[in-house]
Amino acid sequence: MTWDDLDARLAEVPGTVSAYVTRPDAAPTWARRADDTHYAASTMKVAVLAALHRAADAGTLDLDAPVPVVNDFASAQPDAPRFTCNSDYDNDEAVWARLGDSAPLRWLAHRMIVRSSNLATNLVLAHVGLPAVADVWALAGARHSVTGRGIEDFAARDAGITNLVTAADLGALLATLATGATRPGPLAPPATCAAMLDVLTAQEHRDDLAAGLPPGTRIAHKNGWVRGIRHGAGVVLPDDAPPYVIVVCTTTDPDTGPGDEAACQLIADISAQVWAARHDL
C-alpha cells in the first residue's frame, strides 16, 4: 500500500484523521492533516512528563521526594471552585489506593504514563505548573498544541480553556525526545530523554499503535481516548532499521463514527503499514 492509498482510505473515514510519520530530526515522510487540532485526551501527558523531568534537572523538584496524594486541585479558570477527579474515569486503582498518603513524583509520573492515571496527572501538573508544560511545547517546536488545564477541570473547560494537540506537534515532541536521547537537545540532557523514553516504553495500553507491530517490537508511546477520540503517538525502535516517529489522531462523531474499537484497529492498520515501509522512511 502506498502513502496515496493510505490517504485515500483515511479520506473515507467520517471525521478527521491526522497522521505524521518521520525519522527523528528529519523532514516527515508522510503527513496527512497533520496541523489539524484535536482534543488532546491523554496524549498531553507526554508534555507533562517532560516538564517534570526538566524541573528535576533544574533542581526545583525532587523526583524521589514523596508528595501528598490528594484529590483537590485549583482550576485553570480564575475564581472557579477547586475541582476533583472521579475514580470511575481513571485507569489506575494503584494511585487511588494511596489517597490520603504520599507517593514520589517519579512513581506518579510513571503511573500517569503506563496506566494513564488522571489523578496522577493532576498531581504532577500541580507541582510543575501549566507554564512549564507550555515551555515544553515551545521548545519542541510545536505550533498549535496547548495544555490549558488539568483533567476533569470542568469549570475551565466550560470557559473554553482546553487541551489541544496536532499530529505534527506530537511528532515534534517525540522526535525531540528521541534525538535528545543521543545528544544534548533543547528539552533535556541525553540521559533524561532516555529515561523518559523508558517510561513511555513501559506503556501498558497497547491496543492501537503497538497492536500493529510485531510482538516484542520496542515502542515508546502514549495514547489517548475519550468518546469519539482515539490518538496514538510513539517512537518505534526496530532492531533492523533506524527509529521512526508515528502519530495518528482520530476525531469522529461519537454517535455516527466508527467507535473506539474500530479506531484502534484503524490506527493499528496504519502502524502495520508504516512498519512494512520502515526501511524506506
Side-chain angles (χ1 to χ4, degrees):
M1 181 178 287
T2 67
W3 303 121
D4 287 343
D5 291 334
L6 269 177
D7 276 328
R9 177 187 175 187
L10 298 183
E12 296 177 355
V13 178
T16 302
V17 180
S18 301
Y20 188 86
V21 175
T22 189
R23 297 279 187 212
D25 211 14
T29 302
W30 175 54
R32 180 186 192 277
R33 303 187 69 166
D35 290 323
D36 286 8
T37 55
H38 299 256
Y39 176 66
S42 290
T43 59
M44 50 79 80
K45 296 171 184 176
V46 180
V48 177
L49 177 71
L52 174 66
H53 278 268
R54 282 175 51 79
D57 283 344
T60 57
L61 287 175
D62 181 351
L63 292 180
D64 296 309
V67 299
V69 178
V70 299
N71 186 18
D72 178 67
F73 305 102
S75 173
Q77 170 63 13
D79 301 323
R82 297 178 70 85
F83 72 97
T84 61
C85 288
N86 186 332
S87 61
D88 291 340
Y89 299 154
D90 212 328
N91 300 288
D92 190 6
E93 295 178 357
V95 180
W96 288 89
R98 296 204 184 192
L99 195 61
D101 199 347
S102 64
L105 284 168
R106 188 189 304 276
W107 182 82
L108 290 169
H110 185 82
R111 305 307 294 184
M112 170 181 76
I113 297 298
V114 305
R115 291 302 305 165
S116 206
S117 169
N118 293 338
L119 180 59
T121 301
N122 284 345
L123 287 164
V124 173
L125 189 57
H127 284 83
V128 301
L130 290 167
V133 183
D135 288 344
V136 167
W137 286 118
L139 289 167
R143 295 188 297 162
H144 305 289
S145 296
V146 60
T147 303
R149 60 173 174 83
I151 297 172
E152 297 181 62
D153 183 354
F154 298 129
R157 180 199 65 185
D158 293 345
I161 302 171
T162 191
N163 299 323
L164 299 174
V165 293
T166 71
D169 288 348
L170 284 169
L173 176 55
L174 287 167
T176 301
L177 289 178
T179 54
T182 59
R183 63 178 185 270
L187 281 182
T192 301
C193 288
M196 287 188 274
L197 289 177
D198 285 344
V199 174
L200 292 163
T201 303
Q203 173 63 248
E204 296 178 14
H205 295 285
R206 304 179 62 84
D207 41 4
D208 39 61
L209 285 180
L213 300 173
T217 302
R218 189 166 181 245
I219 175 173
H221 66 122
K222 184 71 192 81
N223 34 30
W225 61 93
V226 295
R227 190 166 176 260
I229 288 169
R230 168 64 72 156
H231 309 323
V235 182
V236 181
L237 301 126
D239 291 333
D240 61 349
Y244 63 88
V245 174
I246 175 171
V247 182
V248 184
C249 298
T250 71
T251 300
T252 60
D253 188 305
D255 296 316
T256 62
D260 189 64
E261 184 175 346
C264 284
Q265 186 59 57
L266 176 67
I267 296 173
D269 289 348
I270 296 169
S271 182
Q273 293 295 329
V274 176
W275 171 264
R278 67 193 180 280
H279 298 293
D280 303 316
L281 298 177

